[in-house]
Amino acid sequence: TDNTSLPDLLGLMKGSLRAQSGIVQFRGKTFSRANAKRGVANGVAFIEENPVQSMLFPQMTYLENLCFLVGEKANPLPLSRRVLKSVVQEYGPKIGADLYETDLSNLRLQALYDLVYYRIQLCSPAAVFCVQPFAGADMYLRRHVIELISRLKARGITVVIPSVNIADSLVIADRLLLLEKGRVLGDYPRSEF
């Protein structure tokens, strides 16, 4: 209901904050600051608010941006020609000609969002935090982001959407937790939305 707990939640999951009391559990184990700092290698990824500005590297090609986290996975692969060929085979039909773009400024906004979300999908984390994914998005981009989040979920990736904008999140959510000043006000399954 407010933004007060968002920085704390993200800080705990990214390892920049330590819990003052209690523990964070993830996949049945205590999730420590050291685990959090290893991010994707420990199964947690983040898609920041306004990810096109904060998560892409304009000096790199589309393919280099797409494969950026491959070496960070729990079972990292060296970025060899064989791995690149496999990525091109899997994502080429989804992405099309944009996959071969060398200048990101030539791409439409939706293609840049595809790049961010496909990068996360390629790393296949257990959970991804999509921080306010609809902030600043028009109706068409919101619909596209919902589709991209659906693809992550279809891959078995748990998607956590910390957001103040509940309306957009309910379209994609399976569960809603309402927080106010860090306390849970309600926990609702989809059937109660």
Side-chain angles (χ1 to χ4, degrees):
T1 61
D2 56 36
N3 254 350
T4 56
S5 55
L6 182 61
D8 291 342
L9 173 66
L10 296 175
L12 287 169
M13 295 310 296
K14 289 181 177 181
S16 61
L17 288 178
R18 181 179 305 211
Q20 292 177 353
S21 65
I23 59 172
V24 176
Q25 285 199 315
F26 179 66
R27 296 160 117 178
K29 297 179 185 171
T30 299
F31 192 70
S32 68
R33 285 179 79 185
N35 290 353
K37 289 183 179 185
R38 292 192 59 227
V40 173
N42 278 318
V44 179
F46 296 87
I47 297 177
E48 302 292 340
E49 186 175 350
N50 300 314
V52 169
Q53 287 80 33
S54 61
M55 294 183 64
L56 297 179
F57 304 97
Q59 70 278 11
M60 294 167 59
T61 68
Y62 190 107
L63 187 58
E64 289 168 338
N65 267 284
L66 180 64
C67 295
F68 180 72
L69 292 176
V70 169
E72 304 294 317
K73 292 171 50 168
N75 298 315
L77 298 170
L79 203 53
S80 64
R81 285 181 187 246
R82 196 177 97 238
V83 171
L84 287 174
K85 183 179 179 183
S86 175
V87 169
V88 168
Q89 285 177 340
E90 181 177 352
Y91 286 90
K94 298 173 191 173
I95 297 169
D98 290 344
L99 183 63
Y100 304 101
E101 183 58 60
T102 58
D103 184 355
L104 297 185
S105 67
N106 292 332
L107 297 173
R108 298 171 293 110
L109 185 59
Q110 284 189 348
L112 295 171
Y113 269 83
D114 288 346
L115 174 53
V116 169
Y117 280 80
Y118 285 145
R119 176 197 290 167
I120 298 301
Q121 184 178 307
L122 180 61
C123 291
S124 196
V128 60
F129 285 76
C130 297
V131 182
Q132 304 210 55
F134 309 108
D138 65 17
M139 176 179 68
Y140 300 106
L141 185 56
R142 286 171 196 239
R143 183 73 219 142
H144 190 66
V145 169
I146 288 168
E147 185 180 311
L148 292 169
I149 291 172
S150 295
R151 290 178 191 167
L152 292 173
K153 289 174 58 180
R155 283 271 181 106
I157 299 170
T158 298
V159 178
V160 180
I161 305 173
S163 179
V164 179
N165 185 346
I166 295 172
D168 286 325
S169 302
L170 289 181
V171 173
I172 193 81
D174 295 318
R175 180 177 174 195
L176 172 68
L177 284 171
L178 279 179
L179 302 176
E180 183 174 66
K181 294 182 175 48
R183 301 206 182 279
V184 177
L185 291 180
D187 182 354
Y188 307 97
R190 184 164 189 77
S191 61
E192 294 183 24
F193 292 174

